[in-house]
Amino acid sequence: MTLVKSVKSPLLNLHGATLFFADEHAKLQDLDKAQLTYLRKEIEAEKDVIVLQELNHFHYYIPVKKESPNPELLEKLRMTAVRVLGAFNHNKCSDVCITNLTGEREFLRAFAESLVLGNYQFLKYLKDKKKKQNSLHTIHVADKYFTSKDAEELNHLMQATSLARTLINEPHSYLTATQFSKEMQKAGKEFGFQVKVMNKKEIETKKMGGLLAVNSGSIEPPTFTIMEYKPDKAKNKKPIVLVGKGVVFDTGGLSLKPTPGSMDEMKCDMSGEAAVIGVISAVAANKLPLHVVALVPATDNRPGMNAVCPQDIITISDGTTVEVLNTDAEGRLILADALVYAKQYKPEICIDLATLTGASIRAIGSIASAIMGTAEQKVMDQLQESAMHTWERVIQFPMWKDYGDEMKSDIADLKNLGGANAGHISAGKFLEHFTDYPWIHIDIAGPAYSNSTSGYRTKGGSGVGVRMLYDFLIKNYC
């Protein structure tokens, strides 16, 4: 992973970039009169990136409007950073220096995190991986307000986000539910949190009927993993519980998905699980004073063996019976058992993340996630603020009783499929049934995975949710 390091002064021998307020360009002391004149003309032409070259040495000047950091400006800087990143890699730079003259640490942080995330690659299975590997390795940052501790925190967060991306990008041929549990154990050792894995026999003892039903068509056993970070002086008396949907591959079961544009992308159906691993990894690595628990039910969803059939009735671990009308609505079934399991912690807040419904994509596209829940509106607003700040945007939907009525069954307590419209909300109402604590559901089906690169969001898994929830936790609970 690309590393960020804090330095006391600019390293002039390296290719680099300088962030500065556009109307203060005359204060750039390292430029001569001719260079300043050129810079002023480029600023007047509203150029986002201004290039100055001396022999083989390139330096990129980034003019910034003189205003306090806001989500739109920070995202503009992130996208500008990607353009500069392309030039760094084109010029085979291994080390670069970023200088921040604005006095706003958030500007530097946004620019640096974009360089790191945009430089992410998943090359594990390529024979010529060394040839295709990006050259950029270290980003030295010169900013008196950005300390070595700040750099370490950012590195841990970027490492956790990259871990989430890599887990999503791994094929099911490698990442079975069992292997996934091993990856969580590996992350626990690396970042510093406890991990307990329940095997199929223990899952049966807990009567987790949703997880077992989804797994019934597979030759691979399910797992249920509990990750916990509990520092000695945690500020929260009740834990914050995260729940991630861990369907490591989703064929749709007997309600088989079509392949083009659907099943062929379903290795990403554990993106919620990857996100909660990323969040607890970042929290633990940065030693936040928070007690955090992450719960991950994991299985693949296949049509073989003794696969659950449409119109079967299953029983969730709290005794709720569910009529399964569509085996492709499986994520809510495994999440139900996890949400029931979360009750024992009496959480201050429980947040689940899941690539749950195509309905959320049809409602708001792939640029945002749908959120809903029973948490106080103040908490929902705080989450939305963090979502905007990190540009992992969310849109809140109502949890009206009418949507829950769609999930009632004639022959069981609930059914796992609602009406044709607003399916992301009726799915949320299904999940709500299994909670008795403040809860937020985040449907990340849209932004979790992409078949093309968009700025610093590289092709494949995005790791959405990691940066947003880390920002949410550190700002509101630390």
Side-chain angles (χ1 to χ4, degrees):
M1 189 194 83
T2 310
L3 293 177
V4 176
K5 292 185 177 180
S6 175
V7 294
K8 292 183 179 180
S9 58
L11 304 179
L12 301 179
N13 61 317
L14 298 178
H15 294 280
T18 297
L19 310 182
F20 67 100
F21 285 130
D23 59 357
E24 296 181 355
H25 66 278
K27 297 181 181 180
L28 296 173
Q29 298 178 356
D30 58 327
L31 300 182
D32 60 29
K33 185 176 180 181
Q35 290 172 324
L36 286 172
T37 299
Y38 173 74
L39 199 71
R40 177 178 55 78
K41 290 181 179 179
E42 293 291 277
I43 293 171
E44 290 174 352
E46 299 185 347
K47 295 291 182 65
D48 294 330
V49 179
I50 304 168
V51 186
L52 290 178
Q53 178 182 2
E54 292 185 9
L55 299 177
N56 290 327
H57 185 269
F58 291 87
H59 201 89
Y60 303 88
Y61 287 85
I62 316 299
V64 182
K65 289 184 179 180
K66 195 169 186 179
E67 56 185 81
S68 59
N70 59 72
E72 289 77 14
L73 183 53
L74 293 177
E75 181 64 6
K76 182 179 179 181
L77 277 171
R78 293 188 192 102
M79 298 305 286
T80 300
V82 175
R83 293 168 55 194
V84 175
L85 171 65
F88 287 153
N89 281 319
H90 177 75
N91 290 311
K92 305 299 181 183
C93 301
S94 62
D95 291 66
V96 298
C97 184
I98 310 301
T99 304
N100 181 25
L101 301 179
T102 67
E104 292 286 356
R105 187 175 61 174
E106 285 297 317
F107 291 158
L108 183 281
R109 183 183 175 95
F111 197 87
E113 73 177 3
S114 179
L115 291 177
V116 176
L117 293 176
N119 207 45
Y120 169 87
Q121 293 175 290
F122 184 70
L123 303 175
K124 178 179 176 180
Y125 297 98
L126 292 178
K127 187 176 181 180
D128 59 347
K129 60 175 70 68
K130 289 185 179 180
K131 183 179 179 181
K132 292 189 175 181
Q133 190 167 13
N134 290 333
S135 62
L136 184 60
H137 181 266
T138 305
I139 302 165
H140 304 272
V141 295
D143 180 348
K144 63 181 179 180
Y145 300 106
F146 192 84
T147 66
S148 295
K149 186 176 180 180
D150 292 326
E152 182 180 41
E153 181 197 22
L154 181 59
N155 283 329
H156 286 151
L157 179 57
M158 296 298 96
Q159 187 178 5
T161 305
S162 296
L163 171 61
R165 287 182 172 186
T166 294
L167 290 172
I168 298 166
N169 289 333
E170 284 282 6
H172 179 52
S173 55
Y174 172 78
L175 201 65
T176 62
T178 299
Q179 182 60 41
F180 212 161
S181 67
K182 293 178 181 178
E183 297 293 332
M184 287 178 256
Q185 290 172 320
K186 188 189 304 181
K189 290 179 181 178
E190 181 178 358
F191 293 99
F193 56 86
Q194 299 298 312
V195 181
K196 177 186 176 183
V197 180
M198 291 198 294
N199 59 27
K200 185 174 183 179
K201 182 174 286 188
E202 292 174 283
I203 292 168
E204 289 171 339
T205 300
K206 298 290 184 183
K207 298 181 179 179
M208 294 183 173
L211 179 54
L212 290 167
V214 177
N215 180 254
S216 62
S218 176
I219 60 173
E220 292 283 345
T223 60
F224 189 97
T225 303
I226 302 104
M227 296 171 281
E228 185 169 14
Y229 176 69
K230 189 176 183 181
D232 292 335
K233 296 182 180 180
K235 290 189 175 182
N236 51 326
K237 293 181 180 179
K238 297 180 179 180
I240 296 160
V241 177
L242 308 174
V243 176
K245 174 187 171 183
V247 177
V248 291
F249 194 86
D250 182 19
T251 69
L254 290 179
S255 305
L256 199 65
K257 290 178 180 288
T259 296
S262 183
M263 196 197 298
D264 54 357
E265 298 177 0
M266 283 299 105
K267 70 177 184 179
C268 78
D269 213 19
M270 35 57 68
S271 295
E273 181 173 14
V276 302
I277 296 170
V279 175
I280 196 169
S281 294
V283 167
N286 287 321
K287 295 180 172 58
L288 299 192
L290 295 176
H291 182 193
V292 179
V293 175
L295 307 176
V296 174
T299 180
D300 55 330
N301 181 27
R302 290 180 180 258
M305 305 291 286
N306 192 31
V308 64
C309 299
Q311 295 190 319
D312 279 355
I313 295 178
I314 66 172
T315 304
I316 306 299
S317 47
D318 67 345
T320 299
T321 56
V322 178
E323 181 186 10
V324 179
L325 294 183
N326 189 317
T327 64
D328 195 23
E330 85 298 333
R332 64 200 69 182
L333 300 179
I334 71 172
L335 287 174
D337 280 322
L339 293 172
V340 170
Y341 192 88
K343 290 181 181 180
Q344 65 185 284
Y345 296 101
K346 296 180 171 34
E348 181 169 346
I349 182 73
C350 177
I351 303 173
D352 80 75
L353 296 97
T355 47
L356 202 65
T357 67
S360 67
I361 302 175
R362 291 189 291 275
I364 57 178
S366 61
I367 63 173
S369 300
I371 66 168
M372 59 203 80
T374 60
E376 293 181 1
Q377 189 57 47
K378 175 185 175 182
V379 179
M380 303 292 283
D381 292 341
Q382 290 169 341
L383 179 61
Q384 291 181 80
E385 288 174 9
S386 288
M388 284 299 296
H389 182 74
T390 57
W391 213 251
E392 294 188 347
R393 293 167 292 179
V394 299
I395 297 176
Q396 185 176 352
F397 285 85
M399 291 287 282
W400 296 328
K401 177 179 178 296
D402 313 56
Y403 296 110
D405 292 341
E406 293 183 16
M407 306 308 291
K408 293 179 179 178
S409 167
D410 294 331
I411 59 173
D413 297 321
L414 295 173
K415 57 185 179 180
N416 78 326
L417 197 66
N421 300 317
H424 55 307
I425 306 178
S426 56
K429 291 298 289 185
F430 177 91
L431 296 178
E432 180 189 19
H433 174 87
F434 302 97
T435 67
D436 63 359
Y437 40 72
W439 160 74
I440 300 175
H441 166 55
I442 310 178
D443 191 334
I444 60 173
Y449 189 88
S450 176
N451 283 314
S452 61
T453 294
S454 176
Y456 57 93
R457 299 172 185 85
T458 52
K459 183 178 180 179
S462 68
V464 68
V466 179
R467 292 166 50 246
M468 169 177 59
L469 288 183
Y470 182 83
D471 187 85
F472 169 73
L473 294 178
I474 202 168
K475 286 180 176 176
N476 300 294
Y477 294 92
C478 287

